[in-house]
Structure formats: C-alpha cells, structure tokens
Amino acid sequence: MEMLAALDGSLHVGLAALGSAIGVGLVGAKAAEATGRNPGAAGEIRTQAIIFAALAEGIVFIAIFLAK
C-alpha cells in the first residue's frame, strides 16, 4: 500500500508530461503543415507555434508545483 501512495504522488506529473509532449508534437506537425500550405506566412506561423508549445510545456511546471 505504501508503494501505491508513493507512485500516486508523481503519477499526475508523468501524465502531464506525456500530454504536454503529445501537444507539442501536434503543434509542430500542424505548424509544418500550415507552412507548407502558405510559405509566405511562415514567420507568423512559427511565432504562434512557439507560443502554443510554451503554453503546453507550462502545464508540466504547474503539475510539478502542485506535486510538492
């Protein structure tokens, strides 16, 4: 039972990291797809992709903060 309690304390951090990794991957894939469709807007697409990737990564930091 003690092992389950120790595992449960960090489980949400791992799930947040997994979700963040999937989200950043999707952002990158869609940014590459959008740049392929409209190369003239590559700068704007890149800027938005970086912002959205940073927001997705921020979820992991919130989960780490809540773990302690």
mmCIF file of all heavy atoms in Angstrom, residues 1-15 67:
data_model
loop_
_atom_site.group_PDB
_atom_site.id
_atom_site.type_symbol
_atom_site.label_atom_id
_atom_site.label_comp_id
_atom_site.label_asym_id
_atom_site.label_seq_id
_atom_site.Cartn_x
_atom_site.Cartn_y
_atom_site.Cartn_z
ATOM 1 N N MET A 1 0.814 -1.186 0.000
ATOM 2 C CA MET A 1 0.000 0.000 0.000
ATOM 3 C C MET A 1 0.863 1.258 0.000
ATOM 4 O O MET A 1 0.494 2.244 -0.609
ATOM 5 C CB MET A 1 -0.909 -0.050 1.241
ATOM 6 C CG MET A 1 -2.099 0.819 1.113
ATOM 7 S SD MET A 1 -3.144 0.240 -0.206
ATOM 8 C CE MET A 1 -4.503 1.286 0.014
ATOM 9 N N GLU A 2 2.021 1.218 0.680
ATOM 10 C CA GLU A 2 2.899 2.381 0.712
ATOM 11 C C GLU A 2 3.464 2.681 -0.671
ATOM 12 O O GLU A 2 3.656 3.828 -1.037
ATOM 13 C CB GLU A 2 4.029 2.155 1.701
ATOM 14 C CG GLU A 2 3.568 2.103 3.135
ATOM 15 C CD GLU A 2 4.696 1.767 4.082
ATOM 16 O OE1 GLU A 2 5.861 1.867 3.667
ATOM 17 O OE2 GLU A 2 4.402 1.400 5.214
ATOM 18 N N MET A 3 3.740 1.634 -1.443
ATOM 19 C CA MET A 3 4.288 1.836 -2.780
ATOM 20 C C MET A 3 3.260 2.529 -3.676
ATOM 21 O O MET A 3 3.603 3.387 -4.482
ATOM 22 C CB MET A 3 4.696 0.509 -3.390
ATOM 23 C CG MET A 3 5.233 0.623 -4.765
ATOM 24 S SD MET A 3 6.722 -0.312 -4.847
ATOM 25 C CE MET A 3 7.091 -0.172 -6.550
ATOM 26 N N LEU A 4 2.010 2.162 -3.526
ATOM 27 C CA LEU A 4 0.955 2.795 -4.311
ATOM 28 C C LEU A 4 0.841 4.279 -3.965
ATOM 29 O O LEU A 4 0.663 5.116 -4.843
ATOM 30 C CB LEU A 4 -0.378 2.090 -4.080
ATOM 31 C CG LEU A 4 -1.563 2.611 -4.896
ATOM 32 C CD1 LEU A 4 -1.274 2.468 -6.382
ATOM 33 C CD2 LEU A 4 -2.821 1.883 -4.528
ATOM 34 N N ALA A 5 0.993 4.613 -2.695
ATOM 35 C CA ALA A 5 0.937 6.018 -2.290
ATOM 36 C C ALA A 5 2.111 6.795 -2.860
ATOM 37 O O ALA A 5 1.971 7.940 -3.289
ATOM 38 C CB ALA A 5 0.927 6.123 -0.770
ATOM 39 N N ALA A 6 3.286 6.188 -2.889
ATOM 40 C CA ALA A 6 4.459 6.856 -3.452
ATOM 41 C C ALA A 6 4.312 7.022 -4.958
ATOM 42 O O ALA A 6 4.703 8.041 -5.528
ATOM 43 C CB ALA A 6 5.719 6.068 -3.132
ATOM 44 N N LEU A 7 3.735 6.046 -5.612
ATOM 45 C CA LEU A 7 3.535 6.126 -7.058
ATOM 46 C C LEU A 7 2.463 7.159 -7.394
ATOM 47 O O LEU A 7 2.591 7.892 -8.355
ATOM 48 C CB LEU A 7 3.124 4.753 -7.596
ATOM 49 C CG LEU A 7 2.864 4.645 -9.087
ATOM 50 C CD1 LEU A 7 4.173 4.854 -9.836
ATOM 51 C CD2 LEU A 7 2.284 3.305 -9.425
ATOM 52 N N ASP A 8 1.438 7.218 -6.600
ATOM 53 C CA ASP A 8 0.325 8.122 -6.853
ATOM 54 C C ASP A 8 0.752 9.585 -6.745
ATOM 55 O O ASP A 8 0.214 10.440 -7.430
ATOM 56 C CB ASP A 8 -0.803 7.830 -5.870
ATOM 57 C CG ASP A 8 -2.047 8.623 -6.200
ATOM 58 O OD1 ASP A 8 -2.355 8.743 -7.399
ATOM 59 O OD2 ASP A 8 -2.694 9.118 -5.267
ATOM 60 N N GLY A 9 1.742 9.888 -5.926
ATOM 61 C CA GLY A 9 2.178 11.263 -5.744
ATOM 62 C C GLY A 9 2.795 11.866 -6.989
ATOM 63 O O GLY A 9 2.711 13.062 -7.220
ATOM 64 N N SER A 10 3.433 11.061 -7.813
ATOM 65 C CA SER A 10 4.097 11.572 -9.008
ATOM 66 C C SER A 10 3.386 11.182 -10.298
ATOM 67 O O SER A 10 3.858 11.518 -11.379
ATOM 68 C CB SER A 10 5.534 11.049 -9.059
ATOM 69 O OG SER A 10 6.251 11.481 -7.936
ATOM 70 N N LEU A 11 2.313 10.477 -10.180
ATOM 71 C CA LEU A 11 1.627 9.997 -11.375
ATOM 72 C C LEU A 11 1.078 11.152 -12.204
ATOM 73 O O LEU A 11 1.185 11.140 -13.436
ATOM 74 C CB LEU A 11 0.494 9.047 -10.971
ATOM 75 C CG LEU A 11 -0.203 8.320 -12.110
ATOM 76 C CD1 LEU A 11 0.788 7.439 -12.844
ATOM 77 C CD2 LEU A 11 -1.347 7.496 -11.576
ATOM 78 N N HIS A 12 0.545 12.169 -11.564
ATOM 79 C CA HIS A 12 -0.035 13.273 -12.329
ATOM 80 C C HIS A 12 1.048 14.084 -13.045
ATOM 81 O O HIS A 12 0.793 14.654 -14.097
ATOM 82 C CB HIS A 12 -0.896 14.158 -11.433
ATOM 83 C CG HIS A 12 -0.138 14.993 -10.468
ATOM 84 N ND1 HIS A 12 0.399 14.488 -9.324
ATOM 85 C CD2 HIS A 12 0.180 16.307 -10.494
ATOM 86 C CE1 HIS A 12 1.005 15.449 -8.676
ATOM 87 N NE2 HIS A 12 0.898 16.570 -9.357
ATOM 88 N N VAL A 13 2.265 14.106 -12.503
ATOM 89 C CA VAL A 13 3.351 14.819 -13.183
ATOM 90 C C VAL A 13 3.726 14.082 -14.466
ATOM 91 O O VAL A 13 3.924 14.690 -15.521
ATOM 92 C CB VAL A 13 4.575 14.967 -12.255
ATOM 93 C CG1 VAL A 13 5.731 15.617 -12.996
ATOM 94 C CG2 VAL A 13 4.219 15.767 -11.024
ATOM 95 N N GLY A 14 3.805 12.756 -14.394
ATOM 96 C CA GLY A 14 4.110 11.965 -15.583
ATOM 97 C C GLY A 14 3.033 12.077 -16.648
ATOM 98 O O GLY A 14 3.327 12.176 -17.842
ATOM 99 N N LEU A 15 1.786 12.060 -16.226
ATOM 100 C CA LEU A 15 0.696 12.199 -17.190
ATOM 101 C C LEU A 15 0.676 13.592 -17.814
ATOM 102 O O LEU A 15 0.381 13.733 -19.008
ATOM 103 C CB LEU A 15 -0.641 11.894 -16.517
ATOM 104 C CG LEU A 15 -0.865 10.431 -16.120
ATOM 105 C CD1 LEU A 15 -2.168 10.297 -15.354
ATOM 106 C CD2 LEU A 15 -0.857 9.545 -17.350
ATOM 107 N N ALA A 67 2.734 19.086 -7.103
ATOM 108 C CA ALA A 67 3.180 17.822 -6.515
ATOM 109 C C ALA A 67 3.849 18.033 -5.173
ATOM 110 O O ALA A 67 3.891 17.130 -4.350
ATOM 111 C CB ALA A 67 4.133 17.110 -7.461
#
